[in-house]
């Protein structure tokens, strides 16, 4: 990182030695290899397993494990794609910063060159004037008559003024030349930083596109293989694909919600520990520095008017089973769709499915505005939280759908389920966020 101090301004040129390049990205993408086709049971094996209860349960457990592996592999690749996109976004912003700094330096260098040229021209003009006036020793005045002495004195005064101005211009021209030389050196460094950052940004863009393509391919494979595995599981247990899918999603969602709550609590505890440590350090310095305001790092904070939050009714410790989101899911989009207006409209239409009235919508809007600005692609680089509800990490939302990275509907379904499971209502979650700055 190169910091430049110029008259009245300060600019920072970002060198890509400072960019956190995720070199593990390629390794993550390449190592998360799904199970081979031979590892999946055939329909013949499923039929054979139905001859005994023990074999049936063993085959069912194997299928459930394979479904879990498919989800985990796709989730890992999705997280890698999220990180790759964040790396590219950061690199693009740094490249733009370098470009703006270079533009300013170039303008200042042009201005400095003009000043140096103008001073040089003035020195040339004064040198010519000195030549025309001619040099004169003041002792010669004693040899001249009165009129001649007065004229000579005028010329001597003029010459002295020219000489003084010449010295002043020489000093100014020398300083201008030094400034110009310094600016030229800094501009050369800025050109190099801009070229490096632009090249790295392009490379990270290619990495992000490759990671996204790999993640989308994994999602498609997961959906195709999961459909067969769920059908086999339903056949083994003499149920239906829908019931088996609901049962497994419920188990996965319960585990994801528990881990999400633990992650949120751990993040809050870490922030509180940092705050206390800073407060203790400030006390040791005589309390000159006020304690820092507790704030969730990296979140997208968009100020909104604080609503009158209704006091939530007591919520039973074990809420009823979560509603199953409507199926089937649409095919994954090529990339995340950031549509805050559409996302809020969809969320409003899903409140009744969780037993809530439209009075909860205002709390929900404020809650997720604070968390993510209702952006599907919102990413917190410090915690790894992703999406509209800020799942930590994003692939926990795979409990609702494999397209969690790109589909705001999937994210909202997961987020509403999380709120229902942990707080009972959006207004209760919003009140907790107001009190603790997290939910």
């Amino acid at each position: 990182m190169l910091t430049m101090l110029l008259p009245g301004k300060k600019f920072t040129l970002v060198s890509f030695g400072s960019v956190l390049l995720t070199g593990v990205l390629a390794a993550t993408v390449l190592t998360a290899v799904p199970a081979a086709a031979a590892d999946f049971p055939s329909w013949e094996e499923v039929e054979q397993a139905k001859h005994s209860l023990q074999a049936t349960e063993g085959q069912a457990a194997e299928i459930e494990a394979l479904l879990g592996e498919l989800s985990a592999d796709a989730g890992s690749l999705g997280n890698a794609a999220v990180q790759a996109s964040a790396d590219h976004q950061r690199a693009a912003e740094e490249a733009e910063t370098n470009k703006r700094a270079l533009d300013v330096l170039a303008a200042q260098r042009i201005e400095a060159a003009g000043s140096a040229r103008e001073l040089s021209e003035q020195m040339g003009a004064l040198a010519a004037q000195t030549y025309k006036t001619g040099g004169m020793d003041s002792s010669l005045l004693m040899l001249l008559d009165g009129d001649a002495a007065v004229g000579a004195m005028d010329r001597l005064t003029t010459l002295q003024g020219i000489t003084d101005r010449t010295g002043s211009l020489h000093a100014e021209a020398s300083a201008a030349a030094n400034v110009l030389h310094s600016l030229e050196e800094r501009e050369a460094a800025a050109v190099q930083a801009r070229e490096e950052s632009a090249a790295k940004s392009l490379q990270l863009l290619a990495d992000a596109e490759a990671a996204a393509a790999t993640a989308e391919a994994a999602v498609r494979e997961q959906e195709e293989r999961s459909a067969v595995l769920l059908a086999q599981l339903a056949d083994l247990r003499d149920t239906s694909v829908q019931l088996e899918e609901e049962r497994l999603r419920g188990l996965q969602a319960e585990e994801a919600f528990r881990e999400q709550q633990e992650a949120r609590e751990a993040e809050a505890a870490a922030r509180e520990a940092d705050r206390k440590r800073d407060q203790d350090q400030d006390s040791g310095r005589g309390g000159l520095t006020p304690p820092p305001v507790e704030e969730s790092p990296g979140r997208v904070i968009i100020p909104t008017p604080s609503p009158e939050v209704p006091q939530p009714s007591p919520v039973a410790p074990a809420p009823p089973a979560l509603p199953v989101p409507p199926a089937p899911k649409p095919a994954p989009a090529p990339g995340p769709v950031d549509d805050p207006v559409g996302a809020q409209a969809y969320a409003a239409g899903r409140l009744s499915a969780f037993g809530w009235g439209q009075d909860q919508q205002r709390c929900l809007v404020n809650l997720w505005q604070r968390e993510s600005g209702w952006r599907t692609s919102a990413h917190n680089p410090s915690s790894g939280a992703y999406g509209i509800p800020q799942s930590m990490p994003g692939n926990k939302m795979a409990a609702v759908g494999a397209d969690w990275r790109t589909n705001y509907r999937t994210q909202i379904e997961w987020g509403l389920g999380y709120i229902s499971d942990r707080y009972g209502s959006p207004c209760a979650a919003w009140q907790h966020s107001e009190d603790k700055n997290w939910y």
Side-chain angles (χ1 to χ4, degrees):
M1 183 174 293
L2 177 61
T3 301
M4 298 189 171
L5 296 173
L6 300 177
K9 298 185 179 182
K10 178 179 179 180
F11 297 94
T12 298
L13 300 180
V14 182
S15 169
F16 260 84
S18 65
V19 177
L20 300 177
L21 301 180
T22 53
V24 296
L25 171 63
T28 302
V29 172
L30 295 175
T31 54
V33 180
D39 296 331
F40 291 86
S42 64
W43 279 103
E44 183 179 353
E45 291 171 331
V46 170
E47 287 298 320
Q48 290 177 354
K50 292 165 67 176
H51 293 310
S52 72
L53 180 60
Q54 183 178 2
T56 297
E57 290 304 315
Q59 186 68 79
E62 179 185 345
I63 290 175
E64 289 186 11
L66 287 169
L67 285 166
E69 290 177 10
L70 284 171
S71 178
D73 289 341
S76 176
L77 291 169
N79 285 338
V82 167
Q83 186 60 53
S85 177
D87 288 343
H88 166 252
Q89 181 63 32
R90 185 166 57 252
E93 291 171 357
E94 290 173 347
E96 181 60 26
T97 297
N98 286 346
K99 180 181 180 300
R100 289 196 300 268
L102 175 59
D103 291 343
V104 171
L105 282 169
Q108 291 182 338
R109 189 259 305 159
I110 292 172
E111 182 180 355
S115 297
R117 183 171 56 252
E118 181 180 350
L119 287 168
S120 178
E121 291 172 354
Q122 289 181 18
M123 286 187 63
L126 280 174
Q129 185 64 29
T130 302
Y131 177 79
K132 292 178 181 179
T133 304
M136 180 177 291
D137 190 335
S138 60
S139 63
L140 295 177
L141 294 176
M142 303 299 297
L143 303 177
L144 300 177
D145 58 30
D147 293 339
V150 171
M153 179 62 73
D154 290 340
R155 291 196 301 275
L156 182 60
T157 301
T158 302
L159 177 62
Q160 185 62 46
I162 292 173
T163 302
D164 292 343
R165 180 57 180 154
T166 300
S168 174
L169 281 174
H170 179 75
E172 292 178 18
S174 178
N178 290 336
V179 170
L180 177 59
H181 179 67
S182 176
L183 285 171
E184 288 173 342
E185 289 184 340
R186 292 174 180 177
E187 185 180 14
V191 169
Q192 182 178 356
R194 182 200 61 183
E195 291 176 351
E196 289 178 357
S197 61
K200 192 60 66 176
S201 176
L202 289 175
Q203 179 59 54
L204 287 176
L205 175 60
D207 291 346
E209 291 175 344
T214 302
E216 289 160 11
V219 167
R220 288 193 296 270
E221 181 175 5
Q222 178 191 359
E223 291 176 339
E224 293 170 0
R225 290 185 182 267
S226 294
V228 176
L229 290 171
L230 284 169
Q232 292 175 335
L233 192 60
D235 187 55
L236 279 169
R237 291 185 168 151
D238 196 22
T239 59
S240 68
V241 170
Q242 182 178 3
L243 287 176
E244 289 301 321
E245 185 175 15
E246 290 174 7
R247 180 179 65 82
L248 293 176
R249 279 188 174 179
L251 293 173
Q252 188 178 1
E254 182 179 352
E255 178 65 15
F257 294 157
R258 182 188 63 79
E259 293 177 354
Q260 174 82 356
Q261 191 76 1
E262 291 176 354
R264 292 279 190 178
E265 291 171 354
E267 184 187 24
R271 290 201 309 272
E272 178 63 17
D274 290 342
R275 186 190 69 79
K276 288 183 177 179
R277 184 179 64 251
D278 293 342
Q279 193 174 32
D280 292 342
Q281 292 174 352
D282 293 338
S283 298
R285 291 193 294 266
L288 297 178
T289 305
V293 178
E294 183 177 7
E295 182 177 350
S296 178
R299 285 185 180 172
V300 180
I301 306 285
I302 302 179
T304 56
S306 296
E308 294 182 4
V309 181
Q311 293 298 322
S313 303
V315 181
L322 302 178
V324 178
K329 294 287 184 187
V337 176
D338 288 330
D339 181 8
V341 174
Q344 290 179 23
Y346 178 80
R350 291 293 295 155
L351 293 177
S352 61
F354 290 81
W356 302 322
Q358 287 300 312
D359 60 307
Q360 296 291 317
Q361 177 70 359
R362 186 179 183 184
C363 294
L364 183 65
V365 168
N366 286 326
L367 177 66
W368 285 347
Q369 185 74 11
R370 169 181 287 168
E371 290 289 323
S372 64
W374 285 82
R375 293 186 301 111
T376 309
S377 64
H379 178 241
N380 184 328
S382 63
S383 68
Y386 182 75
I388 291 172
Q390 290 289 277
S391 169
M392 298 169 58
N395 68 322
K396 290 194 186 314
M397 295 184 286
V400 172
D403 57 353
W404 58 268
R405 188 177 62 86
T406 58
N407 192 336
Y408 65 72
R409 294 176 180 84
T410 299
Q411 294 183 2
I412 289 171
E413 293 293 343
W414 184 89
L416 293 178
Y418 172 74
I419 289 172
S420 176
D421 184 61
R422 294 304 172 190
Y423 300 102
S425 71
C427 284
W430 169 246
Q431 186 63 59
H432 187 279
S433 178
E434 286 281 86
D435 295 339
K436 304 291 187 180
N437 204 30
W438 62 276
Y439 84 107

